[in-house]
Amino acid sequence: MSRVAIVGGGIGGLTAALLLSRQGQEVVIYERADRVGGRVAFEEEGPYRIDQGPTIVLLPEMLNGILEEGGLPPGSLELLRCDPLCRIHFRSGRVLTKVAGLEEQAAEIEREFPGEGSGFLRFMDDMAGLFPRGKASFLEQPFPRWREFFSPANLRLMSRLRAYRSLRSAVGSYFRSEELRDAFSLQSLYIGGAPFRTPGIYTMLPYAESAFGIWMLKGGYGQLPRILSRELLSRGVEIHTGTEVESLHVEDGRCTGIVAGGVRHSYDAVLYNGEFPLLEQLLPAELFAGAAPVKRNSVKGTLKRSRYQPSSGCVLIYAGTDRRWPEAETHQFFLPDSLNDNLRELFDRGRISQLPSYYVFNPAAVDDSAAPPGESVLYFLIPVPADPELDWDTLAGSLAERVLEDAEQRGFPGLKSSLVWKKLRTPADAHKEGLYGGGSFGIAPVLSQLGVFRPQPKPYPIKGLYAAGASVHPGGGVPIVMQGARMAVHELMKEMN
Ligand SMILES: Cc1cc2nc3c(=O)[nH]c(=O)nc-3n(C[C@H](O)[C@H](O)[C@H](O)COP(=O)(O)OP(=O)(O)OC[C@H]3O[C@@H](n4cnc5c(N)ncnc54)[C@H](O)[C@@H]3O)c2cc1C
């Protein structure tokens, strides 16, 4: 049995603890905040409670499969299927409803966009063949060496998945309408990337959405860390909240423990679940190139300091209202005149649009218990530059006003006068809580930070040190982070045995 310290109780850390404890390892979690879950949390005020971060459950099979592998009984999560999946409101007045069922979706597209239904069927057909291979190659295995990533088979697959093009351009092969191109590429925003900059390999995202559906965890995604920590505590896993890990110990090329509250604790292995770019600060400086030439702890060569590009940030509005909108779907997107121009303003020029795109989460549509009877909770997510230095106190308020006004016109009549509670969250808050560069989703999903170019579950040639989280391969989003934690645990078990 190994003793393993987990630094950070985000979804990656909790999942790793679940899998490790299931395999009989002794696990201790250190979490800086006063609760576990990281980005997966609730905002609460009086009778109102709504998810603070994730709301959209994708890939439910992956999520449930990992939980079962970790020893949770099947059905531990009550997942509610959203059908319609979501609704996309274009400025032209057109509305695309994403629905379950290929033929039903094609008919829905055909109704709003005559002549385009067959493009959707072609997309789904092409991706049905590619998705299982893409999942096995890019989501389920690490890339310790370049040669694994650039193997002839992988290169062929990347070419078929159009990794060399952008996601928006890749779906452009299937749809003529700019609006449909937006509808099938805006999913990169879920992980903080621009559709025109995120590689085409991420076509797996809109495909997964249409093929496996959009779901919601009953009671909110914020239930997940509660379910996980309850299970961990019942197994005797120690969870120390309010405890920041200040540094990691590396001796003779091996990570042998952590320092928290000025006290050293010894472990056989350490799994880091904080924002990856911040890990360097916890490691001895002499391990890195350019440091004073002292003994390098026997780590092979020196480690390279890396610069990372953060994902986009967001302004979030959480609201409690004294009425409901029974006709409004759970997940809705409201797009501006040109999503492409709008996002170019954000991603290329770092500016906040006068009228941006935004996403609205309306959980009462599928979960009656989400708010007091007859009332509602809503969540508006507005993608913005990650820059924590902007004057968010001034900017966020007026941006929220413009978005609420627009939402009132386009989908939530009477919204403003029904507000009983409202709270804003900005990139400055995200930065204060330790999210890298004020970005909401870890490091950006760009080609230079994908696959072998992204930090790996075993990130350095240091024995006993592993990493999992949104900024580590295979990337962000709850099920994907859980999948990354699974890989990190696999690497750990391989090395420790
Ligand atoms: C607004 C928003 C909306 C999102 N929407 C979705 C969605 O709809 N669907 C979806 O699947 N995903 C969504 N995501 C992404 C998803 O939330 C993340 O990918 C995932 O939760 C990240 O998990 P993580 O393991 O990286 O941990 P994190 O959430 O980053 O947590 C890491 C934890 O480590 C702790 N920590 C860091 N350093 C230390 C230290 N030195 N000592 C002790 N503790 C430390 C932190 O306090 C934190 O609790 C969203 C995210 C945001 C912000």
Side-chain angles (χ1 to χ4, degrees):
M1 183 177 71
S2 302
R3 291 191 75 237
V4 183
I6 296 189
V7 183
I11 286 302
L14 293 171
T15 305
L18 191 77
L19 296 166
L20 285 165
S21 57
R22 173 72 168 169
Q23 298 187 43
Q25 312 306 315
E26 192 181 323
V27 181
V28 180
I29 298 177
Y30 294 88
E31 168 54 57
R32 160 170 72 200
D34 58 7
R35 52 148 189 93
V36 292
R39 282 168 253 224
V40 187
F42 286 121
E43 282 291 338
E44 298 185 59
E45 178 71 35
Y48 303 113
R49 185 174 82 173
I50 191 159
D51 277 309
Q52 185 188 82
T55 58
I56 293 177
V57 180
L58 292 179
L59 298 169
E61 226 170 272
M62 182 183 279
L63 202 151
N64 278 325
I66 295 170
L67 294 182
E68 281 177 38
E69 188 179 328
L72 279 182
S76 296
L77 299 187
E78 195 178 340
L79 292 178
L80 307 171
R81 187 179 197 128
C82 301
D83 190 12
L85 279 59
C86 65
R87 196 158 270 165
I88 303 170
H89 301 256
F90 302 100
R91 197 85 213 162
S92 62
R94 280 195 176 118
V95 176
L96 176 69
T97 305
K98 288 205 174 174
V99 293
L102 295 189
E103 292 303 331
E104 290 80 354
Q105 182 66 81
E108 180 63 26
I109 291 175
E110 201 57 35
R111 205 171 51 74
E112 277 289 292
F113 299 90
E116 298 267 20
S118 58
F120 168 74
L121 291 175
R122 202 158 44 83
F123 171 67
M124 294 302 285
D125 191 45
D126 285 356
M127 289 302 297
L130 291 170
F131 182 83
R133 291 166 57 200
K135 179 166 160 277
S137 300
F138 300 113
L139 301 182
E140 293 178 349
Q141 62 165 3
F143 293 109
R145 287 170 299 262
W146 286 58
R147 67 169 180 267
E148 275 106 17
F149 189 68
F150 291 109
S151 70
N154 254 14
L155 286 173
R156 271 195 303 277
L157 186 56
M158 279 194 272
S159 155
R160 295 206 54 203
L161 282 165
R162 301 176 172 87
Y164 53 93
R165 286 165 70 177
S166 73
L167 170 57
R168 194 168 194 284
S169 141
V171 301
S173 317
Y174 299 95
F175 301 109
R176 286 183 301 278
S177 150
E178 293 291 322
E179 291 178 332
L180 283 175
R181 289 176 181 183
D182 289 341
F184 285 87
S185 62
L186 60 76
Q187 292 74 14
S188 66
L189 293 169
Y190 300 177
I191 44 172
F196 53 82
R197 210 176 275 158
T198 302
I201 204 164
Y202 285 90
T203 39
M204 294 206 290
L205 208 45
Y207 169 75
E209 185 173 283
S210 290
F212 313 117
I214 293 187
W215 300 71
M216 204 200 114
L217 186 56
K218 187 165 169 62
Y221 231 149
Q223 297 287 357
L224 182 58
R226 296 178 180 200
I227 294 169
L228 292 175
S229 52
R230 213 170 28 237
E231 175 68 18
L232 292 172
L233 290 170
S234 78
R235 294 180 187 177
V237 169
E238 283 177 40
I239 303 180
H240 299 282
T241 51
T243 309
E244 171 149 24
V245 170
E246 291 138 16
S247 61
L248 305 186
H249 250 270
V250 180
E251 290 164 325
D252 298 329
R254 183 178 189 118
C255 189
T256 54
I258 59 127
V259 174
V263 178
R264 176 164 176 194
H265 303 270
S266 296
Y267 288 98
D268 300 312
V270 174
L271 192 147
Y272 176 77
N273 176 228
E275 285 279 62
F276 188 84
L278 309 180
L279 171 58
E280 288 178 9
Q281 298 168 11
L282 301 188
L283 289 169
E286 72 263 22
L287 295 180
F288 290 90
V294 291
K295 183 172 166 270
R296 293 196 195 278
N297 272 318
S298 306
V299 170
K300 261 189 252 158
T302 50
L303 308 180
K304 212 169 100 273
R305 288 196 190 276
S306 301
R307 292 171 68 87
Y308 298 98
Q309 184 186 329
S311 62
S312 64
C314 45
V315 165
L316 290 139
I317 312 169
Y318 308 106
T321 63
D322 63 12
R323 59 163 290 186
R324 285 191 179 189
W325 290 269
E327 67 292 349
E329 299 305 337
T330 312
H331 304 290
Q332 301 197 66
F333 299 85
F334 292 86
L335 305 192
D337 281 333
S338 160
L339 181 64
N340 207 41
D341 291 353
N342 194 268
L343 294 178
R344 289 232 172 248
E345 204 174 344
L346 189 167
F347 284 93
D348 291 349
R349 293 187 281 283
R351 288 207 212 117
I352 300 171
S353 300
Q354 191 52 28
L355 191 57
S357 60
Y358 57 95
Y359 155 77
V360 187
F361 177 48
N362 171 33
V366 67
D367 181 359
D368 194 49
S369 64
E375 301 192 54
S376 230
V377 281
L378 296 172
Y379 151 136
F380 300 77
L381 186 156
I382 312 155
V384 294
D387 189 349
E389 302 302 323
L390 292 176
D391 177 11
W392 288 108
D393 283 344
T394 313
L395 293 168
S398 58
L399 178 64
E401 275 312 303
R402 297 198 296 277
V403 165
L404 291 173
E405 176 67 40
D406 192 67
E408 173 159 308
Q409 305 296 326
R410 295 169 73 187
F412 294 86
L415 171 64
K416 285 170 52 185
S417 60
S418 73
L419 288 173
V420 183
W421 162 64
K422 185 178 86 177
K423 181 175 176 188
L424 302 186
R425 196 179 155 80
T426 72
D429 299 313
H431 183 63
K432 233 183 283 159
E433 286 171 17
L435 296 192
Y436 177 62
S440 293
F441 307 93
I443 62 173
V446 290
L447 197 53
S448 58
Q449 298 183 154
L450 171 85
V452 72
F453 303 114
R454 204 169 181 90
Q456 294 297 305
K458 179 172 164 52
Y460 298 121
I462 298 175
K463 215 170 168 195
L465 178 60
Y466 312 90
S471 295
V472 178
H473 173 70
V478 173
I480 304 298
V481 165
M482 291 171 73
Q483 179 60 33
R486 191 168 169 263
M487 274 190 235
V489 166
H490 187 71
E491 293 291 302
L492 186 154
M493 294 303 295
K494 214 167 57 184
E495 208 167 55
M496 290 292 127
N497 285 328

